[in-house]
Amino acid sequence: MSRNRSLFELFIAFALVLSVFVSIPLQRGGIGLSWDSVNHHIYLGWVADSARFDKDYFAAGSQSYQFPYLYWPIYKMAFWGWSGRTAGVVWAVLHALICFPLLHMARSLMPGGDFFTVLFRLSGVLLGVGTLLVLRAPETTGNDVLAALPFLWALAIGIKATALGGSLSERQLRWYATGIGLLGGVSVAFKLSNGFFLPVLLLLTLASGGRVADRLLGVLCWSLAVAGGFWVTYGWWGYQLWVHFGNPVFPFYDGVFSIIRSIIGWRPLVGI
């Protein structure tokens, strides 16, 4: 497929998904604001904008200490007083970015440039966003779809590497494994529960081809990249939690970190 046709297909996929997503807040008169929106999502965006560890404690329960930066756009749109429709359209545009990794996966699974193949790929993208959880995302302030974006990109790269199979050199295999791992680590930083899906990315890394030694080296690159992607993304937030609570994933696993605090004599700024 020529570059121009490829870009045109990408534009059509984005336009279709964007049309679906934008229609939801427009039809409903704006983005929905629930108790969770005001007391959890907008609050976390406020924390991302200016840390409040010295002012609030469990303001939104244990959710007060989630990675907050994906909620910053919602907070700023509320702070600026944007209308529900305007905020809903902007939020829908951000969510429409999901079409890019979906189309990338479809191209790996259904290569070719004829009309019906392109039609099937576009249909696959629409099927990918045609679930209740995804379709509800643009009408709420939740960020689950945005948090899934790096994981979907890692999945798309892994599927492409598997589709290419034995045509990849050893160096290319390592680069693919590193890219999959980096994006996987970022996805876990965005939402810790995404860590449960990392084995899927590991299996794709193993299935990319090459000799046993190449696959094992790929797993090593993948593992280091997961750790690197996670800490580069989560590091500043984790450091803040460590300084204030002595636990970089506070309040989770605090029993484990209390032992570490006792061993090293660490006294966090907030007594717990």
Side-chain angles (χ1 to χ4, degrees):
M1 183 186 300
S2 69
R3 180 177 178 82
N4 288 339
R5 292 183 63 183
S6 178
L7 290 174
F8 181 70
E9 181 184 353
L10 195 64
F11 171 79
I12 293 297
F14 182 72
L16 288 172
V17 173
L18 183 62
S19 299
V20 172
F21 282 176
V22 167
S23 70
I24 296 171
L26 290 181
Q27 187 273 330
R28 296 183 65 85
I31 194 169
L33 288 178
S34 62
W35 183 96
D36 218 28
S37 300
V38 177
N39 297 282
H40 173 205
H41 302 158
I42 292 178
Y43 172 77
L44 276 178
W46 189 17
V47 172
D49 200 62
S50 57
R52 302 186 53 80
F53 293 120
D54 59 334
K55 301 178 180 67
D56 304 325
Y57 181 68
F58 268 66
S62 61
Q63 296 171 321
S64 302
Y65 307 101
Q66 289 178 334
F67 188 80
Y69 302 107
L70 291 182
Y71 291 108
W72 185 82
I74 284 292
Y75 163 72
K76 294 306 288 187
M77 286 189 286
F79 179 79
W80 291 329
W82 288 13
S83 69
R85 287 181 180 271
T86 302
V89 168
V90 172
W91 200 233
V93 171
L94 292 176
H95 280 72
L97 297 176
I98 194 176
C99 78
F100 297 126
L102 291 176
L103 182 60
H104 198 75
M105 284 185 251
R107 283 175 173 173
S108 297
L109 296 170
M110 294 178 285
D114 61 276
F115 174 78
F116 285 105
T117 302
V118 173
L119 183 63
F120 282 132
R121 283 200 292 263
L122 294 175
S123 300
V125 171
L126 291 177
L127 285 173
V129 301
T131 64
L132 182 60
L133 177 63
V134 176
L135 290 176
R136 277 188 58 82
E139 69 163 322
T140 70
T141 53
N143 66 3
D144 297 280
V145 172
L146 295 182
L149 266 174
F151 178 83
L152 289 174
W153 268 116
L155 196 62
I157 294 172
I159 290 173
K160 181 179 180 180
T162 304
L164 292 174
S167 64
L168 295 174
S169 66
E170 297 176 15
R171 183 179 180 183
Q172 287 174 319
L173 286 170
R174 291 195 294 272
W175 275 113
Y176 270 102
T178 301
I180 295 168
L182 278 172
L183 289 166
V186 172
S187 74
V188 177
F190 282 176
K191 197 174 186 67
L192 295 177
S193 58
N194 284 343
F196 291 108
F197 302 109
L198 283 180
V200 176
L201 301 181
L202 177 58
L203 289 175
L204 282 174
T205 303
L206 282 169
S208 297
R211 300 170 301 175
V212 173
D214 296 332
R215 296 181 192 225
L216 292 177
L217 184 58
V219 169
L220 176 62
C221 293
W222 178 86
S223 302
L224 294 174
V226 167
F230 175 80
W231 285 113
V232 166
T233 307
Y234 188 85
W236 174 248
W237 180 247
Y239 172 74
Q240 296 299 316
L241 294 181
W242 171 257
V243 168
H244 287 84
F245 302 104
N247 178 351
V249 291
F250 183 79
F252 304 109
Y253 306 109
D254 201 58
V256 175
F257 286 101
S258 65
I259 298 173
I260 297 174
R261 293 195 296 267
S262 298
I263 292 173
I264 66 176
W266 178 259
R267 296 181 63 85
L269 295 179
V270 178
I272 53 176

